[in-house]
Amino acid sequence: MAAGKGRAEATALAAAGVTVVLWASAFVSIRSAGAHYAPGALALGRLGAGALVLCAVLLIRREGLPPKAAWPGIAASGVLWFGGYMVALNWGERLVDAGTAAMVVNIGPILMAVLGGWLLKEGFPSRLLAGMAVSFAGAVVVGLSVSEGDGSSPLGVALCVLAAVTYALGVVCQKPALRHASPLQVTTFGCLIGFVACLPFSGQLVSQVADAPLSATLNTVYLGVFPTALAFSTWAYALSRTTAGRMGSTTYVVPFLVVLMSWLFLDEVPGQLALAGGLLCLAGVAVSRSRSRKPRPPQPVTAAGAATATSAAQQSDPAAQPTSPDPQARRTAT
């Protein structure tokens, strides 16, 4: 039982790790593609590519439609997270750099933990709160390090805050849906609903795809296939096996990864402050996901247990075995 639970938790953590890496890469891709696509058009293109992949996988696996009980959560997460979050983040990243956007969006897990503790009755474990405080401090340090000396647009920051709010609300709405439907079903139909919500931007997408360079279009497809179709599926899988608060805490690693990816792909070497902030992010995640080790309470000794213990002691110590009286002595006494 304990081994199976540990294996399931390790699998959920691995799925969350895939999500975090791909979502970090999304900040870099959005920054690149956003120079050629408007926020709504980019969101529609991304969701369209993601929906195609997810629907194909759903058909291959023959999972069909989710139960009715799952639809309220799927619809709400589709509009808020897949739709609203992506448009707000795309718009925000046109006005602030990727590191600042990643830092601001990471107030989402705090809202997620509060809403999860309040609405989903997940509670407020002290280790979760302590880990979130450490990781948020690290995210702030990373954001300040990559934005040092640059003025940030107040509108851009406000849009990233809006993205964080819709992100947190979307996750809290998605969690109950996962009790009734599979992670693939929840992700696929949430993506489709987000795609439908972004259809008013279809005119922009059609006009801009003709003028955009191939690299920007490929970035849009990448955003749909990997940070959306794959990463949202691994997120839903992990979320179905843990609390919204603990899942949210893992995303504090994202700003650190954004800095590393900028270093690798944009030749921007991170400073010591960024690395220190990243280590704080990782430390906070470790704290939030750790479990307190409580000593086992002493087991009451029953009569059967005492008899078993006595028998075991007698077998290990032959001298303690009761000796039957000598037959000759018994006859003499008689």
Side-chain angles (χ1 to χ4, degrees):
M1 178 73 74
K5 185 177 179 181
R7 195 179 305 114
E9 189 161 315
T11 306
L13 184 58
V18 171
T19 300
V20 164
V21 172
L22 292 177
W23 281 356
S25 72
F27 283 91
V28 179
S29 293
I30 289 170
R31 186 79 170 152
S32 176
H36 305 281
Y37 284 102
L42 180 57
L44 180 63
R46 174 180 178 176
L47 289 168
L52 284 174
V53 173
L54 288 165
C55 287
V57 175
L58 191 78
L59 289 173
I60 292 170
R61 292 179 60 88
R62 299 180 181 180
E63 292 199 14
L65 294 172
K68 289 182 180 179
W71 277 105
I74 292 174
S77 66
V79 172
L80 290 168
W81 195 9
F82 287 85
Y85 165 79
M86 290 189 184
V87 174
L89 179 60
N90 294 345
W91 192 357
E93 279 209 60
R94 300 188 84 176
L95 304 173
V96 299
D97 59 86
T100 300
M103 178 195 72
V104 176
V105 168
N106 267 278
I107 68 172
I110 294 179
L111 301 174
M112 203 184 302
V114 172
L115 291 171
W118 174 37
L119 298 176
L120 303 180
K121 311 301 181 186
E122 293 178 352
F124 302 94
S126 58
R127 286 175 180 264
L128 172 63
L129 297 177
M132 287 173 59
V134 173
S135 290
F136 184 69
V140 170
V141 171
V142 171
L144 291 175
S145 71
V146 297
S147 305
E148 191 173 5
D150 296 333
S152 295
S153 162
L155 176 59
V157 173
L159 287 165
C160 290
V161 171
L162 177 61
V165 172
T166 53
Y167 160 42
L169 289 170
V171 171
V172 172
C173 292
Q174 188 187 63
K175 175 68 175 175
L178 290 166
R179 298 173 189 158
H180 308 284
S182 72
L184 179 60
Q185 289 174 321
V186 171
T187 305
T188 301
F189 290 98
C191 187
L192 283 170
I193 289 171
F195 175 77
V196 171
C198 291
L199 279 177
F201 302 109
S202 56
Q204 277 186 343
L205 179 61
V206 170
S207 64
Q208 291 173 357
V209 74
D211 301 325
L214 180 61
S215 60
T217 303
L218 290 176
N219 257 324
T220 304
V221 174
Y222 169 81
L223 285 167
V225 175
F226 293 98
T228 303
L230 178 56
F232 275 73
S233 297
T234 52
W235 168 274
Y237 173 85
L239 182 63
S240 66
R241 287 158 174 77
T242 187
T243 65
R246 294 188 74 191
M247 272 302 295
S249 69
T250 62
T251 62
Y252 276 120
V253 185
V254 169
F256 182 43
L257 295 178
V258 171
V259 172
L260 289 180
M261 290 177 183
S262 299
W263 179 22
L264 292 173
F265 300 112
L266 304 178
D267 199 26
E268 296 175 355
V269 181
Q272 293 181 353
L273 194 60
L275 293 176
L279 291 175
L280 275 175
C281 291
L282 294 171
V285 172
V287 170
S288 67
R289 297 194 69 88
S290 64
R291 294 181 180 274
S292 58
R293 295 183 178 180
K294 297 180 180 179
R296 282 187 175 182
Q299 297 294 327
V301 180
T302 61
T308 303
T310 303
S311 174
Q314 289 171 350
Q315 290 175 4
S316 61
D317 184 6
Q321 303 256 0
T323 57
S324 57
D326 182 24
Q328 182 67 32
R330 190 162 49 236
R331 284 195 298 272
T332 304
T334 304

